[in-house]
Amino acid sequence: MRDFSTSHDALSINTATLRKQWPLDRIIDECARRDIRAISPWRDQVASVGIAHIERQLKDSGIKLSGYCRGGFFPAADAAGLRTALDDNRRAIDEARRLAAPCLVLVVGSLPGALEGTPAYLDLARARSEVRDGIAATLDYARDQAMPLAIEPLHPMQAADRACINTLEQALDVCDELDPTRSGALGVAVDLYHVWWDPKLEAQIARAGADRLLAYHVCDWLAPTRDLVNDRGMMGDGVIELKKCRRWIEDAGYTGYAEVEIFSDTWWQKPGEEVLDTCIARHMSVV
Ligand code: ZN
């Protein structure tokens, strides 16, 4: 297993971690100042500064992307909605390519409208089938553009509104069905916040192997957790066995970044400098 204690070369910052403190251009500056080599930005953060500016800033600073957030949300109430989702995913691929991302992360979606409180239907199997078809349709374009798609399984507490793919096993089943040759065009984003509890985690990470493991997201699971989305913990403050999980993923051949992704009403209230400095320290000590 790689030794993280002497440098933070393998650290990436998912920029949602600082979305309440700073706009993306400031986040990039602050990361560059600390020799952080990679980030994973969100589309809305890129759009609010302007993609041309961000593209230039990344080139000038030498900061790479560890992923681009995000595509997905494929299910819809009708055919027009399904087409709109596919169009939006193509635009996300174009942006990811322009910013030289190694993959586009997919939060696949679930019951359409559930996030807004009014699901258009209640058929979870239908949502899963629309997700499968949506990924299949997007995969052709992703291949053309050489932009790998990384399915991120989400914790089952988000099965109604954000993702009907909830385990690594489910995500890998879709990968094996749609990309049986392991072409590199389709894989998974392993976010420990979502999958740490899974009794099959070790086995499924091994099954994924290097060519399916496209991204690795870390934070911690606080006990107790007070909010389903925005109470992620800083690494070391919760119950996830971070080093054990990293050993599994590196034993499977993963050599990429450990991307810190913390949605937290607690950490969003702290000064951004303190958040970044803490991410570096915890990356070196507990990740
Ligand atoms: Zn994630």
Side-chain angles (χ1 to χ4, degrees), residues 17-256:
T17 305
L18 294 154
R19 69 156 58 248
K20 301 281 171 75
Q21 286 94 338
W22 295 323
L24 186 56
D25 50 350
R26 174 81 186 274
I27 294 173
I28 293 172
D29 283 344
E30 295 286 346
C31 285
R33 191 165 295 142
R34 290 167 176 77
D35 291 323
I36 291 170
R37 296 184 166 192
I39 61 167
S40 183
W42 286 66
R43 293 180 73 193
D44 65 303
Q45 292 177 300
V46 170
S48 70
V49 176
I51 193 165
H53 181 97
I54 296 300
E55 183 184 20
R56 196 163 50 243
Q57 201 184 2
L58 288 170
K59 277 192 184 126
D60 292 347
S61 65
I63 290 181
K64 308 284 188 229
L65 263 53
S66 58
Y68 191 56
C69 298
R70 59 176 168 57
F73 279 82
F74 294 105
D78 53 30
L82 293 170
R83 273 196 305 277
T84 301
L86 292 181
D87 290 346
D88 190 53
N89 276 279
R90 278 187 216 105
R91 280 193 297 276
I93 288 169
D94 294 342
E95 293 166 26
R97 190 173 149 87
R98 185 162 173 192
L99 299 177
C103 62
L104 175 68
V105 172
L106 299 182
V107 172
V108 295
S110 190
L111 304 177
L115 200 54
E116 295 77 30
T118 49
Y121 61 73
L122 304 182
D123 185 347
L124 198 55
R126 173 177 164 188
R128 292 196 173 119
S129 145
E130 290 177 356
V131 163
R132 180 214 164 277
D133 293 348
I135 295 174
T138 304
L139 191 55
D140 292 334
Y141 188 69
R143 277 207 180 93
D144 286 347
Q145 301 300 313
M147 180 51 59
L149 302 176
I151 303 171
E152 181 166 324
L154 261 53
H155 193 285
M157 67 184 171
Q158 294 177 355
D161 47 18
R162 284 189 169 82
C164 56
I165 291 182
N166 307 101
T167 64
L168 199 49
E169 182 174 36
Q170 244 185 309
L172 289 169
D173 286 349
V174 173
C175 291
D176 287 351
E177 183 191 346
L178 301 182
D179 178 48
T181 62
R182 291 178 164 257
S183 68
L186 187 60
V188 294
V190 176
D191 184 331
L192 288 184
Y193 186 74
H194 294 300
V195 300
W196 70 276
W197 56 272
D198 184 348
K200 293 184 177 174
L201 183 60
E202 181 181 8
Q204 292 299 317
I205 286 173
R207 170 189 171 194
D211 44 24
R212 293 267 199 243
L213 293 168
L214 302 182
Y216 181 54
H217 301 173
V218 298
C219 64
D220 216 332
W221 182 277
L222 299 177
T225 283
R226 295 159 304 172
D227 185 279
L228 296 190
V229 179
N230 295 326
D231 193 27
R232 292 182 176 219
M234 176 62 67
M235 300 81 73
D237 289 348
V239 299
I240 301 179
E241 295 178 289
L242 291 161
K243 282 191 197 278
K244 183 189 279 184
C245 293
R246 184 158 69 85
R247 180 176 299 282
W248 293 342
I249 203 156
E250 293 194 11
D251 282 352
Y254 181 78
T255 57

